[in-house]
Amino acid sequence: MAITKGQTFQDSEVVDKYRTLYYAGASGDFNPIHIDPEFGKMVGLGGAILQGLCTMAFATRSVTKLIGDPGKLKKLKCRFSAPVMIEDTITMQGTVTDIKEGLGYIDLKVTTQTGAEVLQKVEAVVEV
Amino acid sequence: MAIDIKFIGKEYPAYTYDVSKEKIKEYAKAIKNLDPHYVDEEFAKKSKYGAIVAPPTFAVVFGAFLIEPVFLDKELNLNMAMLVHGEQEMDFFEVVKAGDSISTMAKISDIKNKEKLDTISVEVTSKNQHGRNVCRGVYTFVVRK
């Protein structure tokens, strides 16, 4: 799908109770901070936290939905700036900031219901 | 104890991962992304790729086979209880399809010692069976002290 400079888009996801387990099984990331709430509390995280790469996968989904072709995503980077807990609602708000030389540059704001930015410095580059 | 910067440049043995369509579907379900490119075989056959393709971030599935040895590296001795994922960068060069055989290499690209934490970055590069680059990832982990 053609995208235009200034275009905005949105996507969201509610982190269900077992998401960290599904993600662990699919990705191999069984770090106890993700699958064991007691362990998460013990190390000061307040419970089990969602794998950052799962949040990144949700963010990626918002971009590939927009462009309609997963093969057109060329780059994605982000900083995991705050933990995502079970039952949080993650909202992705994207803006196409520029289009030049066949590439689209996308800025994403990824927050939870408290307004906390869980990903920062998100940059996505797509073929247009 | 701080992570010794002498480990910058350390390489880990390559791993070859065979991509199956069932694993792609499992991963797509786990990330709640049922894009027909990933899960619908009829759609996928008619798509420009001609086969089920993996979501871009599926690269972390084969990448994990190179991250695990870093985590288990006794010489490096990371404090896993204090480790969280800090940053991730991914460059995509070619889609990964069901049936591909992906060879991945990794090296420690950076270590920084700060007052309250250390960071360690691992650069992971993957090629397909045709020898073409499919993905480059940089995983940066934060280890609280």
Side-chain angles (χ1 to χ4, degrees), chain A residues 13 19 22-23 25-26 43 53 56-58 60-61 68-71 73-80, chain B residues 23 26-27 29-33 37-38 48-49 56-57 60 81 85-92 95 144:
Chain A
E13 185 63 43
R19 192 51 35 198
Y22 281 103
Y23 187 81
V43 297
L53 288 173
M56 191 182 189
F58 294 147
T60 306
R61 179 186 70 188
D69 177 356
L73 180 66
K74 294 290 126 190
K75 185 182 185 74
L76 198 80
K77 72 186 275 194
C78 66
R79 173 183 287 177
F80 304 105
Chain B
K23 186 67 190 181
E26 180 193 351
Y27 176 82
K29 284 178 190 164
I31 61 166
K32 306 278 289 283
N33 189 344
H37 285 94
Y38 314 144
K48 71 181 193 189
Y49 303 111
T57 54
V60 305
H85 201 157
E87 289 177 37
Q88 180 72 32
E89 187 177 337
M90 301 183 100
D91 291 291
F92 305 103
V95 291
R144 293 176 290 153

Side-chain angles (χ1 to χ4, degrees), chain A residues 75-90:
Chain A
K75 185 182 185 74
L76 198 80
K77 72 186 275 194
C78 66
R79 173 183 287 177
F80 304 105
S81 43
V84 173
M85 316 300 293
I86 305 299
E87 285 165 9
D88 275 354
T89 300
I90 304 172

Side-chain angles (χ1 to χ4, degrees), chain A:
Chain A
M1 266 164 273
I3 57 168
T4 52
K5 186 174 172 177
Q7 187 175 353
T8 59
F9 58 97
Q10 191 167 327
D11 191 6
S12 69
E13 185 63 43
V14 179
V15 181
D16 63 280
K17 190 174 175 186
Y18 301 112
R19 192 51 35 198
T20 65
L21 300 176
Y22 281 103
Y23 187 81
S27 69
D29 184 354
F30 283 91
N31 187 325
I33 63 173
H34 303 307
I35 60 169
D36 182 346
E38 292 308 314
F39 188 86
K41 283 179 195 156
M42 198 175 78
V43 297
L45 295 167
I49 65 169
L50 183 66
Q51 290 88 344
L53 288 173
C54 188
T55 307
M56 191 182 189
F58 294 147
T60 306
R61 179 186 70 188
S62 73
V63 176
T64 53
K65 253 190 200 174
L66 174 78
I67 57 178
D69 177 356
K72 287 192 170 171
L73 180 66
K74 294 290 126 190
K75 185 182 185 74
L76 198 80
K77 72 186 275 194
C78 66
R79 173 183 287 177
F80 304 105
S81 43
V84 173
M85 316 300 293
I86 305 299
E87 285 165 9
D88 275 354
T89 300
I90 304 172
T91 303
M92 283 75 69
Q93 290 171 290
T95 307
V96 180
T97 55
D98 203 5
I99 294 183
K100 59 183 175 197
E101 290 163 11
L103 296 174
Y105 296 83
I106 291 168
D107 179 58
L108 270 182
K109 196 175 171 201
V110 184
T111 53
T112 59
Q113 68 285 353
T114 63
E117 276 194 272
V118 292
L119 301 184
Q120 285 178 343
K121 296 190 168 182
V122 189
E123 285 174 43
V125 181
V126 300
E127 254 175 48
V128 292

Side-chain angles (χ1 to χ4, degrees), chain B residues 72-105:
Chain B
L72 298 177
D73 186 339
K74 288 199 169 66
E75 200 183 36
L76 191 61
N77 196 25
L78 298 176
N79 182 357
M80 289 305 295
M82 289 294 127
L83 179 143
V84 293
H85 201 157
E87 289 177 37
Q88 180 72 32
E89 187 177 337
M90 301 183 100
D91 291 291
F92 305 103
F93 309 109
E94 185 169 323
V95 291
V96 171
K97 296 181 189 179
D100 278 356
S101 189
I102 306 291
S103 298
T104 303
M105 300 187 304

